[in-house]
Amino acid sequence: MQAWTREIASVVASFEGASRRSVAGIEVDFELRFDLRATGLDLHWLTDAFRTALDGADLASAGGVVFRALFDTSDTDVVTIHLQRRSRDARGAPAPGGGAGRVPRSGGGLADPSSALTVGAVRPGSGAVELETATGNLTYDSPLSLSGDTISSMEVSEILSPSGSVNRALANTKRKAHQLLGVKVGNQYRYPLFQFDRERKQIRPVAEHANRLMECDLDPWGTLDWWFTENPLIEGQRPVDRLTVQALTEAEVELMVAAEQMGMD
């Protein structure tokens, strides 16, 4: 355990140094994944060791620091330790008046620790969605119609099954692999249509590339927001608009996602 204690102390020291070097408006995110079975570590020991190291670090002037442990839903032996330093003016701050606004994103595809967006419920008579969060519900104005601009898992299978033999599990498999963006509304997933090339019966390659980079299934609402947000790195256009006219490139996606993860967008 001593070796792991030293490793954790080193990580926290690096986190502290990065926090001190950053300027106003820049977020710092660290993610470390541990396989508890392979390493023989206990979750309680692991989180206590991180808390002890964080308590010993001088982070008082580094802004708000968030620490949390997240289990991989597909493998409960794998836990992600997430350290985040958020500045007051960083992305994801509540919209003035506390109303509907952007869904915050953090680097690495994880949902904002202060929000932990999970399941959405469409509000009747509006394009807004009520998102359950760790601190209560958040009202999010969806940039698309969840009924008219998205399709069901069955419809996804019909598009992506060239042979005509529908695989009911196909949408779920591709969503979990971060190839396909799906947002959970009520008790079902809905898949935005802009991702599909119906003629070729495939997911648009650039859309799949972007979804993979953002690990979309870990932060689906944040990923959806990214697609519909104007980005200065592509002349103030929205990624979804460039995608639909086949003008978006993988290089542009990589540049935008890297900037997002560095908190520089």
Side-chain angles (χ1 to χ4, degrees):
M1 291 296 183
Q2 290 183 347
W4 282 110
T5 301
R6 289 194 296 270
E7 180 69 20
I8 289 169
S10 175
V11 168
V12 171
S14 297
F15 175 74
E16 177 190 0
S19 297
R20 289 183 175 281
R21 289 193 300 272
S22 65
V23 297
I26 303 300
E27 298 178 12
V28 177
D29 281 276
F30 275 37
E31 286 179 28
L32 300 97
R33 297 194 178 191
F34 296 86
D35 187 322
L36 300 180
R37 179 178 297 178
T39 60
L41 296 175
D42 176 80
L43 178 63
H44 294 295
W45 180 90
L46 185 63
T47 54
D48 284 346
F50 267 99
R51 288 193 181 99
T52 299
L54 286 167
D55 287 343
D58 183 10
L59 292 165
S61 62
V65 175
V66 177
F67 163 73
R68 66 175 185 165
L70 299 171
F71 274 109
D72 184 334
T73 55
S74 63
D75 185 352
T76 54
D77 286 324
V78 177
V79 63
T80 298
I81 299 297
H82 185 214
L83 304 177
Q84 183 181 48
R85 196 280 286 165
R86 293 180 60 81
S87 61
R88 290 186 178 85
D89 58 342
R91 286 190 62 188
R102 296 189 58 191
V103 173
R105 276 189 53 80
S106 64
L110 291 176
D112 186 336
S114 64
S115 298
L117 309 182
T118 53
V119 182
V122 179
R123 297 177 63 196
S126 75
V129 181
E130 291 289 340
L131 298 173
E132 297 175 6
T133 79
T135 56
N137 285 2
L138 170 71
T139 301
Y140 171 55
D141 283 325
S142 175
L144 47 68
S145 168
L146 293 172
S147 58
D149 299 324
T150 66
I151 57 177
S152 67
S153 298
M154 178 61 72
E155 291 171 300
V156 170
S157 297
E158 291 172 353
I159 292 175
L160 300 182
S161 300
S163 65
S165 177
V166 176
N167 179 356
R168 293 175 180 269
L170 187 58
N172 189 51
T173 299
K174 290 188 175 295
R175 175 178 53 77
K176 288 184 175 181
H178 308 301
Q179 296 172 271
L180 184 64
L181 171 62
V183 292
K184 193 171 185 180
V185 181
N187 61 355
Q188 67 172 316
Y189 281 92
R190 302 292 302 180
Y191 298 87
L193 275 166
F194 69 81
Q195 304 171 96
F196 300 96
D197 184 332
R198 287 177 176 271
E199 290 185 4
R200 293 182 172 83
K201 299 183 75 69
Q202 66 180 17
I203 303 169
R204 295 178 189 269
V206 176
E208 181 175 326
H209 185 63
N211 289 337
R212 281 182 182 275
L213 288 179
M214 290 184 283
E215 297 183 289
C216 64
D217 197 42
L218 294 179
D219 185 9
W221 295 101
T223 301
L224 179 65
D225 184 64
W226 179 88
W227 277 109
F228 284 85
T229 298
E230 295 175 352
N231 197 303
L233 296 176
I234 50 172
E235 301 176 349
Q237 298 178 50
R238 302 184 307 176
V240 67
D241 295 330
R242 288 181 69 87
L243 177 73
T244 53
V245 297
Q246 303 182 44
L248 187 66
T249 67
E250 291 189 357
E252 289 174 334
V253 166
E254 291 165 5
L255 180 63
M256 288 186 286
V257 172
E260 177 94 3
Q261 292 174 342
M262 292 174 64
M264 295 175 61
D265 53 334

